[in-house]
Amino acid sequence: MTTRRIRIGIDTGGTFTDVVALDEDSGELVTTKTPSTPSNPADGFIDGMHRVLALMGATGADVTAVSHGTTVATNQLLEGKVERLGFITTEGYEFILEIARQAVPDGYGNSYFWVKPPRIVPADLVKTVGGRLDVTGAEVRPFDESRAVEVARWFRDRGIDTLGVCFLHSYANPEHELAMREVLRREHPDAVVSISSDVLREYREYERSMTTLVDAAVKPRVARYVRNIHDRLDQFLDEARTQRTDLPFYVMKSNGGVLSADEVVHQPITTVLSGPAAGALGAALVAHKAGFDKVLTCDGGGTSTDVSVVLDGEPTLTTEGNVGAFPSKIPMIDVVTVGAGGGSIAWISPEGALKVGPQSAGADPGPLCYAKGGTQPTITDAHVTLGRIPPHLLGGEIPLDVEAARRGIEALADDLGLDFERCATGILEISAWNQANALRQVSVKRGLDVRDFMLTTFGGSGSLLACRLVDILDLAGVVVPPNPGNVSAFGLLTVDVKNDYVQTHVSRQDSLDHGAIQGILDALTDKARAALTKEGFAADEHRFVRTVDVRYVGQAFEVRVPAPEGVVDDAYAAAVADTFHGEHRQLYGYDFRGDPTQQVEWVNLRVTGIGPITRPELHPIAAAEGELADRAVTDHRDVCFEAEHGYVRTPVIDRARLGAGDAFSGPAIVEEFGSTIPVHPGFDVRVDDYGNLVIRKEGSR
């Protein structure tokens, strides 16, 4: 029997687990979905493996690698489920989390009504230790080991087993933090500890503290999750193999790369946007192939919706990201996440207003229509009662209880004094505006004209409000890829292994120490090289990308710019400055090129090590033949798109029967195995050569 080479991508969401498999020899792509199993996610993971291999007529012996995207850390932070957490910092800096940053959401117009959110660690769980380093890393006062022992025992005696350590200027010298970790290992061996010099070797104490604490907060849950999945995967594959071989098992990182499961448990913060990053990469490839260079992505799942920007086929990156209320200053695809997914719960605030999310019913118990014990109406319940999705999911595998959903929304409508249709459409309208506001954050707030962008929607619920988002934002249109519910899993097959390393080195352009900078870049490159070698990449496969965070002297924040290869000298520094001037003008509309009074200042040096993989190819679909109505329209049902217009008799179109060149207008409902696309009245749809649905408003440009 001939062994095949199959790579599998598995994205575990709050409601469904999405699976895509690639036969590396034939190029065949096969997709499937299975319900997520929140009580033990490994069950859904392995079930997805079984399903996709059965569809391919393959076994576990044919699998060459598995890449996995997870929302475990994302959902934990979005829902604010941070368990008791302790913080150890430098003596005199115990209120760094309370001071934080002067940042008011949505501008100062709302500052009167804004209350600073609770800190990730309350003040009574912050302890300090004596010792002090200066900005260069030189020791000013020695580390106070006796106080460190006292602090370690204090946390141990109170059962606080998750700790973050951030000492002043430890980005320049980690010795005091390493000493604190040794004390904790000795005095509190059960503690899970994150130290800032491992997590983020950058200056800015608040951001470094928060990033370290987020790493600590998600570490126990991510470690348990990854080890559980890894053990079950090994067991599954061992049953199919005649001899034990180590299979590469990768976990998606927020920066658009993957990392081996063995390493990711030591760097859990790198997965806080694991699932969203995979989706952005998959959507970027699809949209670029479809001919669109300016794209917003909208990934709708069961718990949340993730949005990002793609320019010229590449998602934009940031080191200023947030997940929910928590800043995480690590390299990540610039994704904004909001608690607006299919399972988001509709509720009434104490003031009597209708709210939607961020609380979610998830997969268990799920929406009311799942009939699994859910007690509150959700976005999915609104869609199914209005006829926008069918009374079943996954092609009929999961029947939905429409009447249970209707009863729940009717009770909510009665409490609000609304009729049923206005309540149900109101739930969806609030959800659409939540998503629109997130899209504005990644576009309008960054100086981009949203009217020039196409929206790529995917995920199980990502396309349900696509037409409404075009109306709200005046977008150019929407691109819906084939199998949109599996785009994140597909994205997992398109990503390289990536490791990021950073070191703060603040210096003005006119006084740069070229030798010192060269030494730091070489040291970071050596770390990246060692990591890639450990991941199994041969030396001739290693790729390295250098970047520098640069600003004008006196500015508070930096612009990240690419740095050339080669030896650091005057020409090298001039090239970095020239690139910075151009990037600054593009971002802010001005620069100080040629102005001797405005000095350029280098802040952070970065190196990314990349181990490349082979990406799947997208192939054209067959051209349409015959009349669309005879070939693809399978049913009609009454659908409510707007409460004031009531229900409209609407054709139901089987997407699998569409061909390249097909065109039709709304109202229509396009259904496929993993998702549904409601096309509102006033919108036109065209099927392109790759099977994407390109949706635009009638008469749009």
Side-chain angles (χ1 to χ4, degrees), residues 452-527:
D452 296 334
F453 283 75
M454 295 291 286
L455 178 69
T456 300
T457 59
F458 55 99
S461 66
S463 303
L464 291 171
L465 297 171
C467 292
R468 189 70 190 107
L469 290 172
V470 172
D471 281 333
I472 294 171
L473 296 170
D474 195 19
L475 298 163
V478 179
V479 180
V480 185
N483 299 305
N486 294 81
V487 168
S488 290
F490 169 74
L492 290 164
L493 301 179
T494 73
V495 297
D496 301 319
V497 171
K498 285 187 181 181
N499 289 282
D500 298 303
Y501 300 91
V502 60
Q503 177 67 60
T504 292
H505 183 81
V506 181
S507 181
R508 296 191 180 199
Q509 178 93 11
D510 60 359
S511 58
L512 289 178
D513 184 334
H514 296 155
I517 291 174
Q518 185 74 62
I520 293 171
L521 289 174
D522 289 346
L524 296 177
T525 302
D526 288 343
K527 288 183 179 180

Side-chain angles (χ1 to χ4, degrees), residues 50 60 154 164 170 179 215 227 324 380 382 425 484 507 518 550 558 616 693:
H50 278 295
W154 189 91
S170 55
D215 183 77
R227 286 173 180 143
T380 296
T425 56
S507 181
Q518 185 74 62
V550 191
E558 303 80 45
L693 302 185

Side-chain angles (χ1 to χ4, degrees), residues 127 299 470 631 673:
K127 294 296 177 184
D299 177 5
V470 172
R631 172 173 32 90
F673 176 75

